[in-house]
Amino acid sequence: MAAIVRLTEMREETGYAPLGVLGYCLTRTDFLSPVWTSLALGLKTVDHSPQAKLLDLLVSILAGCRGIAQVNTRLRPDKVLARAWGREQFAEQSTLTRTLDAFDDDAVGQLRRGSEALFRRESLSLRHDFDQAWLWLDIDLSPLPISRHAESSTKGLQARRNQYGRQLARVHAPGYHETLFSRLYPGNQESSPTYQPTVAALDAFLGLTAAQKQRTVLRADAGFGSDANINYALSHDWQVLTKNKGGRRPQALARQVAPTDWLPLRPDRWVAPAVQPPVYVRPTACLVVRWLGLGGQVKHAIIVTSIPDWSMADIIAGYDDRGACETEIQADKNGLKLERRRKKRLAAQEALVLLTDVAHNLLAWASHWMFPDQSLAAFGTTRLLEDVFQLPGRLLFDQGQLVEVHLNRLHPYAVPVAAGIHRLLTHFGNP
């Protein structure tokens, strides 16, 4: 007997049950209102307001859509998820595209101020106990490929040779998995000139006291490590831990080190204090690092820090932890598909980047709300998005209120996710 194939409307089933509960909590409590309050796009409201369409774009990022076109295939059929996010149905992808294309520099500034207002209200970094521990902030410049015809797209400094793209300057707080700042630059932008504008914007945005900045470490790679940049950060009360820019200085300082002064960190890596270090506006420690590269080639680098009383091994270990920054960026590119969503207009791309930052931080905060001391708390952005929030289930409503959540008990994370959903609803007062 042939199988029967029927087309039916799934009135309770969704492919994103935990994401639906998160959206229910956020929209019922107007959690995201600071992001949209001051935003004024020159668009008429026909079926969806501009704010509603930007919310749909945010949901598409959290749902892992590879591009805006996937809204039509993954989100619009899921009316249960839409209802959980306070929407009758998500907007059609062409409508969302036109909304992004309506952005100009003023609208991007408004969206940036809105996302910053939300961050200041909810940030875990800003609740950091400065008396107990250092606050680490990583600064990075990462390539974003794009068509050669896109605005501010240039060749150079991309992942592949002769590739066109833009550069994305970002600041992360790795201890809290938060993204604090993002800004786009042309594809041939070098790191060093972006450092001082980024630190200045960070200073104005965070509003830390001088004492708090003295307990905050700006960590960056050699591309940002010019003497002028180090002096700028030090003169504005920040602590620094950075590689100094390359050139001839690393080899020159390495030649001054006596053979007995090299401290082995591992069989192929050594460190020593610089004999005649560069002088900055505040006291610093300057270390020379030597290691064996491919083919046994000897290489050198300089690490500069203003943090007092650290051993050489601690300084190098602190710099090596910068790998967490690379992990966060790759998570946004792979999990939140930051690299896949490409807009020809620069303002439209900047709006997408800011929405991706909001999505990134929402996942960090949701993990804190849902899994404070469970094994799932160790999940990064990609695993949270793919293995937790994309868990299929049923959401049952009664007069607009969520009354039941059903998860597949055979899913390996069903039990901890169910407990996390209870914590999430409790955190928001069971709205």
Side-chain angles (χ1 to χ4, degrees):
M1 179 179 177
I4 299 174
V5 180
R6 301 184 189 276
L7 300 181
T8 61
E9 184 175 341
M10 304 297 185
R11 298 182 181 274
E12 297 173 346
E13 286 80 10
T14 174
Y16 309 88
L19 180 59
V21 178
L22 176 63
Y24 173 81
C25 293
L26 298 181
T27 54
R28 293 273 289 196
T29 59
D30 290 327
F31 183 90
L32 295 168
S33 60
V35 180
W36 331 116
T37 297
S38 63
L39 183 62
L41 284 177
L43 292 173
K44 293 182 179 179
T45 297
V46 181
D47 296 319
H48 312 277
S49 69
Q51 289 79 6
K53 288 179 282 190
L54 290 174
L55 179 69
D56 293 354
L57 285 165
L58 178 63
V59 177
S60 75
I61 295 170
L62 290 168
C65 293
R66 293 194 306 274
I68 299 175
Q70 278 201 314
V71 169
N72 283 9
T73 57
R74 298 188 68 179
L75 296 190
R76 274 180 64 80
D78 197 331
K79 287 195 171 183
V80 179
L81 181 63
R83 185 176 185 184
W85 281 85
R87 309 278 285 123
E88 183 177 344
Q89 187 177 24
F90 294 115
E92 200 267 340
Q93 63 93 9
S94 62
T95 302
L96 301 181
T97 297
R98 286 194 295 272
T99 301
L100 284 174
D101 288 338
F103 270 84
D104 56 16
D105 290 344
D106 288 340
V108 169
Q110 293 164 5
L111 184 59
R112 182 180 299 279
R113 289 190 292 273
S115 63
E116 289 176 351
L118 176 67
F119 185 88
R120 279 193 294 269
R121 192 190 74 192
E122 299 294 332
S123 169
L124 301 174
S125 301
L126 292 180
R127 291 170 173 78
H128 179 77
D129 189 342
F130 290 92
D131 292 332
Q132 295 298 317
W134 299 98
L135 175 62
W136 293 87
L137 300 180
D138 288 325
I139 302 175
D140 191 78
L141 195 70
S142 176
L144 287 182
I146 190 72
S147 162
R148 64 184 296 177
H149 304 294
E151 191 176 355
S152 294
S153 175
T154 61
K155 188 187 294 186
L157 302 178
Q158 295 293 309
R160 296 200 303 270
R161 188 177 180 182
N162 295 325
Q163 187 177 43
Y164 284 80
R166 303 177 177 121
Q167 294 287 333
L168 177 63
R170 305 193 87 177
V171 181
H172 297 272
Y176 299 100
H177 305 290
E178 292 180 337
T179 298
L180 282 69
F181 176 85
S182 293
R183 180 158 290 166
L184 283 173
Y185 288 93
N188 59 357
Q189 177 67 58
E190 293 187 353
S191 300
S192 187
T194 71
Y195 185 85
Q196 294 185 28
T198 298
V199 174
L202 189 68
D203 200 351
F205 163 40
L206 295 180
L208 300 180
T209 66
Q212 289 173 328
K213 289 197 288 184
Q214 282 290 293
R215 295 288 294 171
T216 303
V217 185
L218 301 183
R219 185 166 50 187
D221 65 14
F224 298 99
S226 68
D227 289 347
N229 286 343
I230 293 173
N231 276 328
Y232 179 86
L234 294 176
S235 64
H236 286 79
D237 299 319
W238 303 94
Q239 303 285 12
V240 299
L241 177 57
T242 182
K243 269 188 182 178
N244 196 210
K245 249 187 176 326
R248 298 179 180 179
R249 182 182 284 176
Q251 287 74 24
L253 292 184
R255 285 193 294 269
Q256 298 173 0
V257 176
T260 56
D261 288 343
W262 290 104
L263 172 70
L265 298 172
R266 58 178 190 237
D268 60 348
R269 196 182 190 202
W270 303 264
V271 64
V275 177
Q276 294 180 314
V279 178
Y280 299 102
V281 295
R282 279 176 31 212
T284 58
C286 182
L287 305 182
V288 184
V289 182
R290 182 178 71 182
W291 72 97
L292 299 181
L294 294 177
Q297 183 181 6
V298 178
K299 295 188 175 183
H300 299 94
I302 299 172
I303 304 292
V304 176
T305 185
S306 59
I307 304 172
D309 304 326
W310 275 18
S311 69
M312 291 193 296
D314 287 339
I315 292 171
I316 300 303
Y319 181 81
D320 289 346
D321 284 343
R322 190 183 168 278
C325 172
E326 303 292 339
T327 301
E328 296 281 356
I329 292 171
Q330 289 306 314
D332 279 4
K333 289 183 176 181
N334 298 328
L336 296 177
K337 307 297 189 294
L338 174 64
E339 202 172 53
R340 299 292 298 272
R341 289 189 204 85
R342 306 175 184 181
K343 295 297 294 180
K344 185 175 182 179
R345 294 188 62 252
L346 182 63
Q349 188 72 61
E350 286 187 306
L352 268 178
V353 167
L354 289 172
L355 289 174
T356 302
D357 288 351
V358 173
H360 176 107
N361 291 333
L362 280 175
L363 289 174
W365 300 335
S367 177
H368 177 73
W369 299 329
M370 297 172 69
F371 313 116
D373 31 22
Q374 288 189 6
S375 60
L376 300 192
F379 280 13
T381 298
T382 302
R383 293 200 68 185
L384 276 174
L385 188 147
E386 296 180 354
D387 295 340
V388 174
F389 287 100
Q390 294 185 24
L391 198 159
R394 300 171 68 198
L395 302 181
L396 282 65
F397 296 87
D398 183 11
Q399 298 182 350
Q401 185 170 13
L402 180 65
V403 293
E404 288 189 44
V405 179
H406 297 178
L407 303 177
N408 185 342
R409 63 188 298 270
L410 297 180
H411 193 283
Y413 301 135
V415 172
V417 171
I421 287 175
H422 277 295
R423 293 190 190 93
L424 180 64
L425 290 165
T426 301
H427 176 81
F428 282 93
N430 292 296

